[in-house]
Amino acid sequence: SLSLSLSLSLSRLQEHIVPVVLCLCAVSTFFIFINVPGPQHQYVGWLNDAILWYVWWVFLGVLSSIGLGFGLHTFVLYLGPHIAGVTIAAWECGTTDFPSPPYPDTIICPPAGVPRHRITLWNILNKIRPESMMWGLGTALGELPPYFMGRAARISGQDDEVDDLLTNSEDTEEKKSCMVKFRLYIQQLVEKSGFLGVLLCASIPNPLFDVAGITCGYLLFPFTTFFIAIVIGKAVIKVHLQMLMVVLLFTRNNLKLVEEGIESIPYVGHFLYRPVEEYMNQTRITLHRSTSTHIQQSQSTLSIIFDVFIGIMIIFFLVAIINGMARRKFRNHYNERYEIILNETDDSISSCY
């Protein structure tokens, strides 16, 4: 069996010899680029930081969409605040050419002698587009497991497993019925529209896209077509809609309107506005310091509240994953016990005859 497995592996390797050779050449070139002394070493640190920065956003995107409804809301926790910070800094500094380093770890305004330019919506979108699209790519990658789960259920002939993936045992019959109806609707949309149907589902903020992924897998929808559609929908169209929404909200004029609206709330407006004002003042001080100046800062009340919120969301995410795994384990164990009891019952009945 070992020789048979080895021969099968070699035959598969021969079928894909060109991609394997290209990957080996690319990896070898990269290691030579890093380890051989030369003028390229001045770019190694920059390349390493850039790779880690974009991999981080892809990872956050995966966390946002993976888990069949248990994803961590990394747009609200990470990407949204990053976009808001860049937008506020662009209007405050009069430019998007922030000194790097410390950008992107820390945003500060360039020195006084550096020329400013007119801030436009397009300039801000260009500044935040790379990390936003990497996050969107991560969300597309996180949608692949439901697709493969639905595909595996169809190939193995376990049609009931598809509906089990969409519902929980604790769900009401009404909710289970709605999920099954939604799956049938997505199935009709995909069958009629194909690529455009998947693109439409991926392009709008849709927390139930797992249903579309499972349905596409169940219908044996071509993987390449499915993946291209969700990458375009999530990493291009939906991400730009989200970027535009946050940037417009945190432009200078709209931010002032938000602050005035908070302050004008009867009875509690003054108390709610105080941490917002504290945070904005601290942000302006940080933005206008020089790269060599270190300012000892105490966290603002709003920052502390947001840090606590992030901690609670991460704990909820971990608990939801553990709960989902336990529920799935229990369901599998229950089905196995049910089959054993059913078989024993059939054997007892047949022995009586």
Side-chain angles (χ1 to χ4, degrees):
S1 60
L2 179 61
S3 60
L4 179 60
S5 301
L6 185 60
S7 62
L8 288 174
S9 300
L10 290 175
S11 62
R12 290 176 180 174
L13 182 62
Q14 291 176 352
E15 293 176 359
H16 303 89
I17 189 65
V18 175
V20 171
V21 171
L22 291 176
C23 288
L24 290 175
C25 290
V27 172
S28 302
T29 303
F30 180 73
F31 276 99
I32 292 173
F33 180 81
I34 291 177
N35 296 311
V36 174
Q40 78 277 4
H41 263 256
Q42 59 180 323
Y43 302 106
V44 171
W46 173 84
L47 181 62
N48 182 62
D49 292 342
I51 291 174
L52 291 177
W53 175 248
Y54 292 124
V55 168
W56 165 249
W57 287 111
V58 172
F59 173 69
L60 289 178
V62 172
L63 288 182
S64 177
S65 59
I66 202 168
L68 290 175
F70 301 130
L72 183 65
H73 301 288
T74 53
F75 181 86
V76 176
L77 300 178
Y78 295 98
L79 183 59
H82 173 69
I83 296 173
V86 171
T87 305
I88 294 172
W91 286 104
E92 183 66 27
C93 301
T95 181
T96 55
D97 297 329
F98 310 122
S100 179
Y103 182 83
D105 297 326
T106 304
I107 305 176
I108 62 174
C109 297
V114 176
R116 267 50 173 176
H117 55 76
R118 182 171 175 266
I119 296 299
T120 63
L121 181 65
W122 186 252
N123 290 337
I124 299 175
L125 292 178
N126 283 339
K127 189 68 175 179
I128 58 178
R129 182 175 289 113
E131 48 265 49
S132 299
M133 293 186 69
M134 288 298 102
W135 179 85
L137 176 62
T139 62
L141 294 174
E143 299 293 354
L144 296 183
Y147 171 85
F148 288 115
M149 293 167 69
R151 188 181 182 91
R154 176 64 179 270
I155 293 175
S156 62
Q158 299 175 345
D159 293 351
D160 294 338
E161 185 70 18
V162 176
D163 292 334
D164 291 339
L165 291 172
L166 302 178
T167 58
N168 299 322
S169 57
E170 294 88 352
D171 291 341
T172 61
E173 292 298 325
E174 182 180 358
K175 184 176 180 181
K176 291 181 179 179
S177 177
C178 290
M179 293 296 290
V180 173
K181 289 179 180 178
F182 186 72
R183 181 177 71 82
L184 294 175
Y185 171 76
I186 294 295
Q187 180 174 335
Q188 294 175 357
L189 179 64
V190 171
E191 287 176 339
K192 291 180 179 180
S193 305
F195 176 87
L196 293 178
V198 179
L199 180 64
L200 177 64
C201 292
S203 300
I204 57 177
N206 181 11
L208 298 178
F209 188 80
D210 289 335
V211 179
I214 293 172
T215 304
C216 289
Y218 178 77
L219 294 175
L220 302 181
F221 197 78
F223 171 74
T224 304
T225 306
F226 174 77
F227 186 63
I228 292 175
I230 62 174
V231 167
I232 295 175
K234 289 184 172 291
V236 180
I237 300 176
K238 193 182 84 167
V239 154
H240 278 80
L241 292 176
Q242 293 173 301
M243 288 163 52
L244 190 62
M245 178 186 67
V246 177
V247 170
L248 289 176
L249 178 62
F250 285 90
T251 55
R252 177 174 292 173
N253 293 334
N254 290 339
L255 192 59
K256 286 182 179 179
L257 291 176
V258 172
E259 293 176 357
E260 292 172 359
I262 294 175
E263 192 174 15
S264 63
I265 297 176
Y267 305 110
V268 296
H270 177 69
F271 299 100
L272 294 176
Y273 176 71
R274 188 180 300 167
V276 175
E277 183 183 28
E278 178 188 357
Y279 174 77
M280 293 303 299
N281 291 334
Q282 195 174 81
T283 300
R284 293 186 182 97
I285 294 173
T286 303
L287 288 173
H288 288 287
R289 69 180 175 89
S290 64
T291 55
S292 59
T293 303
H294 176 73
I295 299 177
Q296 187 69 27
Q297 298 184 59
S298 58
Q299 274 194 307
S300 65
T301 306
L302 194 62
S303 298
I304 295 173
I305 293 174
F306 189 71
D307 289 343
V308 172
F309 175 69
I310 290 177
I312 293 173
M313 291 295 293
I314 292 176
I315 292 173
F316 177 79
F317 172 65
L318 295 175
V319 170
I321 289 180
I322 295 172
N323 189 32
M325 293 173 62
R327 188 188 299 116
R328 196 168 290 111
K329 182 72 174 179
F330 173 78
R331 185 174 60 190
N332 293 337
H333 178 72
Y334 176 83
N335 290 337
E336 290 174 2
R337 292 294 303 165
Y338 179 78
E339 290 179 2
I340 293 173
I341 294 173
L342 190 63
N343 291 333
E344 290 177 351
T345 305
D346 291 341
D347 293 339
S348 301
I349 295 175
S350 60
S351 64
C352 292
Y353 290 99

